[in-house]
Coordinates of all heavy atoms in Angstrom, one line a residue:
Y156 N -31.1 293.7 127.6 CA -32.1 293.6 128.7 C -31.9 292.3 129.4 O -31.9 291.2 128.7 CB -33.5 293.7 128.1 CG -33.7 295.0 127.3 CD1 -33.5 295.0 125.9 CD2 -34.1 296.2 127.9 CE1 -33.7 296.2 125.2 CE2 -34.3 297.3 127.2 CZ -34.1 297.3 125.8 OH -34.3 298.5 125.1
E157 N -31.7 292.3 130.7 CA -31.4 291.1 131.5 C -32.7 290.6 132.2 O -33.4 291.4 132.8 CB -30.3 291.4 132.5 CG -29.8 290.2 133.2 CD -28.6 290.5 134.0 OE1 -27.8 291.3 133.5 OE2 -28.4 289.8 135.0
L158 N -33.0 289.3 132.0 CA -34.2 288.7 132.6 C -33.8 287.8 133.8 O -32.7 287.1 133.7 CB -34.9 287.9 131.6 CG -35.8 288.6 130.6 CD1 -35.1 289.6 129.7 CD2 -36.6 287.7 129.7
S159 N -34.6 287.8 134.8 CA -34.5 286.9 135.9 C -34.7 285.4 135.4 O -35.3 285.2 134.3 CB -35.4 287.2 137.0 OG -36.8 287.0 136.6
D160 N -34.4 284.4 136.2 CA -34.6 283.1 135.8 C -36.1 282.8 135.5 O -36.4 282.2 134.5 CB -34.1 282.1 136.9 CG -32.6 282.1 137.1 OD1 -31.9 282.6 136.2 OD2 -32.1 281.6 138.1
S161 N -37.0 283.3 136.4 CA -38.4 283.0 136.2 C -38.9 283.7 135.0 O -39.7 283.2 134.2 CB -39.2 283.4 137.4 OG -39.0 284.8 137.7
D162 N -38.5 285.0 134.8 CA -38.9 285.7 133.6 C -38.4 285.1 132.3 O -39.1 285.0 131.3 CB -38.5 287.2 133.6 CG -39.4 288.0 134.5 OD1 -40.5 287.5 135.0 OD2 -39.0 289.2 134.8
W163 N -37.2 284.6 132.4 CA -36.6 284.0 131.2 C -37.4 282.7 130.8 O -37.7 282.5 129.7 CB -35.1 283.6 131.4 CG -34.6 282.8 130.3 CD1 -34.3 281.5 130.3 CD2 -34.2 283.2 129.0 NE1 -33.8 281.0 129.1 CE2 -33.7 282.1 128.2 CE3 -34.2 284.5 128.4 CZ2 -33.3 282.2 126.9 CZ3 -33.8 284.6 127.0 CH2 -33.3 283.5 126.3
N164 N -37.7 281.9 131.8 CA -38.5 280.7 131.5 C -39.9 281.0 130.9 O -40.3 280.4 130.0 CB -38.7 279.9 132.8 CG -37.4 279.2 133.2 OD1 -36.5 279.0 132.4 ND2 -37.2 278.9 134.5
S165 N -40.5 282.0 131.5 CA -41.8 282.5 131.0 C -41.7 283.0 129.5 O -42.5 282.6 128.7 CB -42.4 283.6 131.8 OG -42.7 283.1 133.2
F166 N -40.6 283.8 129.3 CA -40.4 284.3 128.0 C -40.2 283.2 127.0 O -40.7 283.2 125.9 CB -39.2 285.3 128.0 CG -38.7 285.7 126.6 CD1 -39.4 286.6 125.9 CD2 -37.6 285.0 126.1 CE1 -38.9 287.0 124.6 CE2 -37.1 285.4 124.8 CZ -37.8 286.3 124.1
L167 N -39.3 282.2 127.4 CA -38.9 281.2 126.4 C -40.1 280.3 126.0 O -40.2 279.9 124.9 CB -37.8 280.3 127.0 CG -37.1 279.3 126.1 CD1 -36.4 280.1 125.0 CD2 -36.0 278.5 126.9
V168 N -41.0 280.0 127.0 CA -42.2 279.2 126.7 C -43.0 279.9 125.6 O -43.5 279.3 124.6 CB -43.0 278.9 128.0 CG1 -44.4 278.5 127.6 CG2 -42.4 277.9 128.8
K169 N -43.3 281.2 125.8 CA -44.1 281.9 124.8 C -43.3 282.1 123.5 O -43.9 281.9 122.4 CB -44.4 283.3 125.4 CG -45.4 284.1 124.6 CD -46.7 283.4 124.5 CE -47.7 284.2 123.7 NZ -49.1 283.6 123.7
W170 N -42.0 282.3 123.6 CA -41.2 282.5 122.3 C -41.3 281.2 121.5 O -41.3 281.2 120.3 CB -39.8 282.9 122.7 CG -39.1 283.6 121.6 CD1 -38.1 283.2 120.8 CD2 -39.4 285.0 121.2 NE1 -37.7 284.1 119.9 CE2 -38.5 285.3 120.1 CE3 -40.3 285.9 121.6 CZ2 -38.4 286.5 119.5 CZ3 -40.2 287.2 121.0 CH2 -39.3 287.4 119.9
K171 N -41.3 280.0 122.2 CA -41.3 278.8 121.5 C -42.6 278.7 120.6 O -42.6 278.1 119.5 CB -41.3 277.6 122.5 CG -41.4 276.2 121.8 CD -41.8 275.2 122.8 CE -42.0 273.9 122.1 NZ -42.5 272.8 123.0
S172 N -43.7 279.3 121.1 CA -44.9 279.2 120.3 C -44.8 280.0 119.0 O -45.7 279.8 118.1 CB -46.1 279.7 121.2 OG -46.0 281.1 121.4
F173 N -43.8 280.9 118.9 CA -43.6 281.6 117.7 C -42.7 280.9 116.7 O -42.4 281.4 115.6 CB -43.1 283.0 118.0 CG -43.9 283.8 119.0 CD1 -43.2 284.7 119.8 CD2 -45.3 283.7 119.0 CE1 -43.9 285.5 120.7 CE2 -46.0 284.5 119.9 CZ -45.3 285.3 120.8
A174 N -42.1 279.8 117.1 CA -41.0 279.2 116.4 C -41.4 278.8 115.0 O -42.5 278.3 114.7 CB -40.5 278.0 117.2
T175 N -40.5 279.0 114.1 CA -40.7 278.6 112.7 C -40.5 277.1 112.5 O -41.0 276.5 111.6 CB -39.6 279.3 111.8 OG1 -38.3 278.9 112.2 CG2 -39.7 280.8 111.9
Q176 N -39.8 276.5 113.5 CA -39.6 275.0 113.5 C -38.9 274.6 112.2 O -39.1 273.5 111.6 CB -40.9 274.2 113.6 CG -41.7 274.5 114.9 CD -42.9 273.7 115.1 OE1 -43.0 272.6 114.5 NE2 -43.8 274.1 115.9
K177 N -38.0 275.5 111.8 CA -37.2 275.2 110.6 C -35.7 275.5 110.9 O -35.4 276.4 111.7 CB -37.6 276.1 109.4 CG -39.1 275.8 109.0 CD -39.5 276.7 107.8 CE -41.0 276.5 107.4 NZ -41.4 277.5 106.4
S178 N -34.8 274.8 110.2 CA -33.4 275.1 110.4 C -32.8 275.8 109.2 O -31.7 275.7 108.9 CB -32.6 273.8 110.6 OG -32.9 272.9 109.5
E179 N -33.6 276.7 108.6 CA -33.1 277.5 107.5 C -32.0 278.4 107.9 O -31.9 278.8 109.1 CB -34.3 278.3 106.9 CG -35.4 277.5 106.3 CD -36.6 278.4 105.9 OE1 -36.6 279.6 106.4 OE2 -37.4 278.0 105.1
P180 N -31.1 278.7 107.0 CA -30.0 279.6 107.3 C -30.5 280.9 107.8 O -31.6 281.3 107.4 CB -29.2 279.7 106.0 CG -29.6 278.5 105.2 CD -31.0 278.2 105.6
L181 N -29.7 281.6 108.6 CA -30.1 282.9 109.1 C -30.3 283.9 108.0 O -29.5 284.0 107.1 CB -29.0 283.4 110.1 CG -29.4 284.5 111.1 CD1 -30.6 284.1 111.9 CD2 -28.2 284.7 112.0
Q182 N -31.4 284.6 108.0 CA -31.8 285.5 106.9 C -32.8 286.5 107.5 O -33.2 286.5 108.7 CB -32.4 284.7 105.8 CG -33.6 283.9 106.2 CD -34.0 282.9 105.1 OE1 -34.6 283.3 104.1 NE2 -33.6 281.6 105.3

Side-chain angles (χ1 to χ4, degrees):
Y156 304 90
E157 188 169 329
L158 278 62
S159 66
D160 290 346
S161 59
D162 280 351
W163 172 258
N164 288 336
S165 298
F166 168 79
L167 192 59
V168 164
K169 188 64 177 178
W170 205 251
K171 180 197 171 185
S172 70
F173 306 146
T175 62
Q176 301 186 20
K177 298 176 182 177
S178 57
E179 294 175 339
L181 200 53
Q182 57 192 283

